[in-house]
Amino acid sequence: QVQLVESGGGSVQPGGSLRLACTASGLIISREVVAWYRQAPGDQRERVAYITFAGIGKYDDAAKGRFTISRDNAKNTVYLQMDSLKPEDTAVYYCNRLGASKRDQWGQGTQVTVSS
């Protein structure tokens, strides 16, 4: 059974940083294209970034220049380093395969709150 568990969220002030982790079981991270998504209250879930088979990070506009996605194959974990956080980054963050839909299984996510 595939399971992805997100962790690392918290509350920070604007300009702060957090590093999220996505630890997988039941699949090998390096053989998947894994993405980070987020969902703010009242909004649709949106993609933030993904990491390719080759380990190259790709970023959606909201994340460019501030977030860095990386992967530790030995730990079967994908990370999202988030710097220069803004209040609009407040959301629940999830990881999943690239292109995952509502019909796919999703984890609990990890809450990120950016507020002064």
Side-chain angles (χ1 to χ4, degrees):
Q1 182 180 359
V2 174
Q3 190 174 19
L4 296 164
V5 179
E6 304 91 349
S7 63
S11 295
V12 296
Q13 293 186 339
S17 298
L18 285 172
R19 188 175 81 152
L20 307 183
C22 168
T23 302
S25 58
L27 82 164
I28 298 174
I29 282 284
S30 60
R31 297 181 183 177
E32 304 285 342
V33 179
V34 175
W36 280 97
Y37 303 82
R38 68 186 183 186
Q39 187 168 18
D43 288 350
Q44 300 267 21
R45 185 150 40 203
E46 64 174 358
R47 191 183 67 204
V48 174
Y50 64 94
I51 187 162
T52 68
F53 291 117
I56 297 171
K58 301 290 186 181
Y59 304 92
D60 292 278
D61 288 345
K64 284 179 182 176
R66 300 188 300 124
F67 296 0
T68 304
I69 190 169
S70 63
R71 187 177 68 206
D72 185 331
N73 293 340
K75 295 183 178 179
N76 213 33
T77 299
V78 173
Y79 299 98
L80 185 68
Q81 175 68 39
M82 304 189 297
D83 299 316
S84 302
L85 282 162
K86 305 174 182 179
E88 50 264 44
D89 294 317
T90 295
V92 179
Y93 284 70
Y94 303 88
C95 62
N96 212 322
R97 293 180 171 103
L98 182 66
S101 71
K102 292 180 182 179
R103 291 187 296 272
D104 291 300
Q105 185 176 356
W106 292 81
Q108 294 294 311
T110 187
Q111 175 71 49
V112 171
T113 302
V114 185
S115 173
S116 55

